[in-house]
Amino acid sequence: MKLIQSLSAPVFRLKDIYGRMIDLEEYKDKKVFIGFFRHAGCPFCNIRVHKLLKVREELLEKGLEMIFFFESPENVLLQSIFHKEISPIPLISDPEKRWYSAYGLEPSTYKATMSHISSFVQTAFKASSLGVPLHAMAEGEAFNTMPAEFLLSEGLIIEQVHYSERLNDRMSVEKIRAFVEKK
């Protein structure tokens, strides 16, 4: 079931791939961006992560914390230099997709297929030019996972929700900036 604005975010207490305990309750006095991505080799997701990393310092200075989830097993993420460099942003491996489910993400073979047909080649070229990973899925990763992004206000209240309709459909950086600047 998809989440909506004004609900309390599902609270988790999980270790990230770096072994740090990430307790969402500890973020209750902050604004938080939570991104749910596909697999470690997904060029659509890795381009998005690359873009978020470019604005991370600016958003952090304005009080926004980020937490990223990937469906990839921890060992797959740790083998990727790109994903290891995401630190200090918590990067949580959720191959069972327990938290994908808790946050209302729904798989869609149709949407994933249409995204690949309409924009995979261009996205692969862009990923290559940016130096972000692009590789086949590892065991346990799924073709039909659809990304989602959430902005939580203080008190861990969901302020903005974005369930992707296509693999390159994400919340705009301008919308994230407006959220952070809102008092």
Side-chain angles (χ1 to χ4, degrees), residues 107-134:
S108 176
T109 300
Y110 175 77
K111 290 176 185 177
T113 300
M114 295 311 295
S115 294
H116 278 82
I117 289 171
S118 66
S119 58
F120 182 79
V121 172
Q122 306 92 304
T123 302
F125 279 121
K126 185 174 182 179
S128 178
S129 73
L130 293 172
V132 301
L134 163 66

Side-chain angles (χ1 to χ4, degrees), residues 46-76:
N46 290 332
I47 287 171
R48 177 57 170 176
V49 167
H50 176 78
K51 188 173 190 175
L52 290 170
L53 289 174
K54 287 182 130 187
V55 296
R56 179 187 175 274
E57 286 302 318
E58 167 202 339
L59 297 173
L60 184 61
E61 286 174 12
K62 295 177 181 178
L64 183 73
E65 296 286 342
M66 294 183 184
I67 300 171
F68 296 166
F69 281 80
F70 272 84
E71 70 176 353
S72 300
E74 185 175 304
N75 67 317
V76 172

